[in-house]
Amino acid sequence: MTTDEGRPDWNDQSLGGRVRVALWLYEQVGEGKRFRKQAMREAIPGVEQIDRRMRDLRPAGWVIRTYRDMASLSPDELFLETIGAHVWEPGKRSTGLRTVSGKLRREVMDRDHHRCVRCGISSGEEYPDEPGSRARLTLGHINAHAYGSNAGLENLVTECARCNETAKQFTPVQFTADHVRDQIRELSKREKTSLLSWMALERRPMSKTEQVWARYRQLPGGERDELQRELARMLGSEGEA
Ligand SMILES: [Zn+2]
């Protein structure tokens, strides 16, 4: 299936999700036009994580704005500002796609103590506000536009899949800024001060206890049980001393 100009059809299910999204945006939306995420989902059904496929176009030079950076958009609207590389063309399929080596991935995760730098959750831990849902760790970018050759240790952070989605700004957030502002007001001065420093750092530094906890979480179950018993004994004998 191809168009008159030789472009493949976005309905062609043999194409990858990123290519199909690019074709749909090119054919049906066009530069300088707004569109609804829902319309994209309906046009290209069955593509998993379609938002992610769309975001994957950014490093290929595509500029897609959300309501967060364009006040005139409503939360479910997006704006196709710039059409980037024609990723449906054979030589351009992988433009902007990058692979993080296993070694780099380990380095980033080790540095971040195998915890999400945004919410602090470790791998396999249950979200406190979402019982039954367990965290999966992935890598995120500090600067969403610093892809490609720039993706190095200093640009990458460990994030859980949930924070990663929110951070990429295409998933509607569950809270409003007013809600968060009210919660900030309720914090003590000390708590406000730490929050401000985390904001500046773009991460939550871990206490010594949390660092140990994160490493402990990486151990096999039997060794964890053993350490737990040891710690209980340690505290017991310290109590007597
Ligand atoms: Zn998280």
Side-chain angles (χ1 to χ4, degrees), residues 116 118-119 121 160 163:
C116 171
R118 302 191 189 272
C119 71
I121 205 159
C160 70
C163 290

Side-chain angles (χ1 to χ4, degrees), residues 37 41 51 67-68 75-76 166 169-175:
K37 248 194 277 189
R41 288 202 190 100
D51 290 6
Y67 74 103
R68 294 184 204 220
D76 67 329
T166 312
Q169 305 198 344
F170 283 96
T171 307
V173 283
Q174 304 98 313
F175 322 106

